[in-house]
Amino acid sequence: MDKKTIDALMTRFETTGVVGEGNPRTKAIVGRLVRDLMLAIEELDISAAEFWAGLNFLSEAGRNNEMGLIAPGIGIEHFLDLRMDEAEARAGLKGGTPRTIEGPLYVAGAPVVQGEARMDDGQSPGEVVVMEGTVRGTDGQPIAGAKVEAWHANHLGNYSFFDKTQSAFNLRRTIVTDAQGRYKFRSIMPVGYSCPPGGSTERLLTQLGRHGHRPAHIHFFVSAPGHRKLTTQINIENDPHLWDDFAFGTRQGLVPPVHTNNDAAAMQALGVDKPFYEIKFDFTLHAEQAGAPATDFARPRAAA
């Protein structure tokens, strides 16, 4: 079937059963996607069996809540980040902390702490890490009262809420910066992990000849009144999958040095009997800018 025939078919689809104006934006998006899909079916000679297998796969992935994992796994979420970068550049926004993918494992409602937090519940095994820094605007001035929402996996690569063996909001906190724009938290060092074994994402990646591993990382939302919300993460240096992340989350500027603190006084002050890790990382937020696309938008997210 050639493009002219497909275009005629689309005209028929769009003019049959009309009962109202509908939503012009929805009509434009659906029409484009359906036409492109029909062209792909024609050009790749996709069989009816392959089409229905694909549709059944997507239905199953939805039931398993894995669509939010497949989107980064096939690169779409990273693509959206790059498009946002380009839109901000066109609006005249330069610099700032790089954004990267949110992923599907955020949970709303984490405890709010002023200035400094302990994120682990004291029962989670793992090596202690202390992370701190300052939230600033692109003018270099610290931002007091900014919200730093942090969440990460435990020593097994699992996230609280989704892993029911963990306590509520383990390794999840919202830290409000102090008068100097500073935040600080103590936690355990996360490890890298893989997509659910046997799940929809792993099966798709296997068909694509790819692995499903992520490097160790810590997620962040950083926001403040009058500023654009930042979605980002820092990755832990020296992880074997640091630059081979199946979700394409690693970006330059988001791999801070990890230092080992073996000072006896520092260990005593922290209440630990062995060296611990330290990470220093500052966040830089753009001010709100007319003409730049919104960075805070609705998407499916869990809430405890």
Side-chain angles (χ1 to χ4, degrees), residues 119-120 124-131 151-159 171 185-193 214-220 233-237 239-240 258 277 279:
M119 290 179 58
D120 68 291
S124 301
E127 299 178 285
V128 173
V129 60
V130 175
M131 183 168 173
W151 69 100
H152 67 81
N154 68 359
H155 66 294
L156 298 174
N158 298 324
Y159 286 76
L171 310 177
F185 64 81
R186 168 183 171 171
S187 194
I188 61 169
M189 184 65 81
V191 301
Y193 57 86
R214 294 217 66 199
H217 58 278
I218 302 175
H219 291 274
F220 296 95
Q233 63 185 248
I234 60 105
N235 284 3
I236 307 302
E237 63 175 1
D239 187 288
V258 179
Y277 295 112
I279 300 173

Side-chain angles (χ1 to χ4, degrees), residues 171-188:
L171 310 177
R172 301 178 184 274
R173 289 295 184 275
T174 296
I175 305 157
V176 180
T177 59
D178 65 14
Q180 287 75 48
R182 298 174 300 190
Y183 76 93
K184 183 176 183 178
F185 64 81
R186 168 183 171 171
S187 194
I188 61 169

Side-chain angles (χ1 to χ4, degrees), residues 32-90:
R32 173 61 183 270
L33 292 177
V34 171
R35 181 179 184 273
D36 287 352
L37 178 57
M38 288 194 295
L39 286 171
I41 290 172
E42 184 64 35
E43 292 170 4
L44 297 174
D45 194 22
I46 297 172
S47 69
E50 289 174 320
F51 172 82
W52 289 109
L55 195 65
N56 291 340
F57 169 83
L58 293 175
S59 297
E60 179 189 86
R63 290 193 299 272
N64 296 339
N65 293 317
E66 286 200 46
M67 293 302 294
L69 196 57
I70 288 174
I74 60 175
I76 293 296
E77 192 168 1
H78 180 57
F79 166 74
L80 294 175
D81 284 341
L82 297 180
R83 287 195 78 237
M84 184 70 76
D85 291 347
E86 291 181 348
E88 288 183 340
R90 289 194 298 270

Side-chain angles (χ1 to χ4, degrees), residues 90-164:
R90 289 194 298 270
L93 297 175
K94 298 179 181 179
T97 300
R99 65 170 44 82
T100 193
I101 64 170
E102 174 185 335
L105 298 170
Y106 172 79
V107 177
V112 178
V113 183
Q114 301 295 316
E116 184 173 345
R118 179 165 180 175
M119 290 179 58
D120 68 291
D121 59 8
Q123 306 301 314
S124 301
E127 299 178 285
V128 173
V129 60
V130 175
M131 183 168 173
E132 61 183 309
T134 302
V135 179
R136 294 187 173 90
T138 52
D139 58 1
Q141 294 301 305
I143 303 175
K147 291 198 306 181
V148 179
E149 299 180 69
W151 69 100
H152 67 81
N154 68 359
H155 66 294
L156 298 174
N158 298 324
Y159 286 76
S160 63
F161 181 83
F162 303 96
D163 172 15
K164 300 306 182 183

